[in-house]
Amino acid sequence: MKHGYEEEYKVLLTKEEFETLCNCFPTLHFVTQTNHYYNTDSSNISLRVRDIEDKQIFTCKIHTDKGLEEHEKEIIVPFWEDIEIMDYLRKVNITGPFTEWGQLTT
């Protein structure tokens, strides 16, 4: 599992600004992804599975004093059947059952 701290900056663009940027990079490849969000018993921890192209990527994000700690792993089975992921979730006191509470496709 990959571990790190997330640092992310987001910028809201107008349609015209977006189209201008796209024209500057004619080889852009756009990808559709679907994010599946799962419940936890903690307000500081979020779980997501991202479907992107032919992959599924599990992500656990934990709000800490140092920032947003991120743990990520490509999966081929549901994350609750992955031994490494479940061992990690037990260490941070997250147990099932896991229920999907929302999806977002972009």
Side-chain angles (χ1 to χ4, degrees):
M1 192 173 331
K2 183 174 84 172
H3 307 279
Y5 285 90
E6 178 180 85
E7 189 170 325
E8 183 174 81
Y9 301 95
K10 296 181 181 183
V11 177
L12 183 61
L13 301 174
T14 65
K15 182 179 180 187
E16 293 78 20
E17 290 169 329
F18 176 75
E19 289 171 349
T20 298
L21 279 172
C22 289
N23 290 333
C24 292
F25 302 96
T27 59
L28 280 178
H29 170 71
F30 290 95
V31 176
T32 299
Q33 66 183 29
T34 300
N35 295 320
H36 304 268
Y37 299 95
Y38 292 85
N39 66 309
T40 67
D41 293 335
S42 171
S43 61
N44 292 331
I45 298 176
S46 61
L47 304 178
R48 175 188 73 208
V49 173
R50 176 172 283 163
D51 295 327
I52 185 165
E53 295 183 332
D54 60 346
K55 294 189 265 186
Q56 283 197 310
I57 301 167
F58 167 82
T59 305
C60 174
K61 295 185 180 187
I62 302 173
H63 294 274
T64 70
D65 294 339
K66 296 179 186 177
L68 192 58
E69 189 178 305
E70 188 173 87
H71 308 274
E72 206 171 68
K73 181 179 182 188
E74 187 173 337
I75 56 175
I76 57 173
V77 297
F79 71 87
W80 52 87
E81 293 179 11
D82 185 290
I83 293 169
E84 182 183 12
I85 290 173
M86 291 310 297
D87 284 348
Y88 176 75
L89 291 178
R90 277 190 285 282
K91 286 179 187 173
V92 294
N93 297 316
I94 298 295
T95 59
F98 299 102
T99 305
E100 183 177 334
W101 62 264
Q103 282 184 22
L104 178 63
T105 300
T106 56

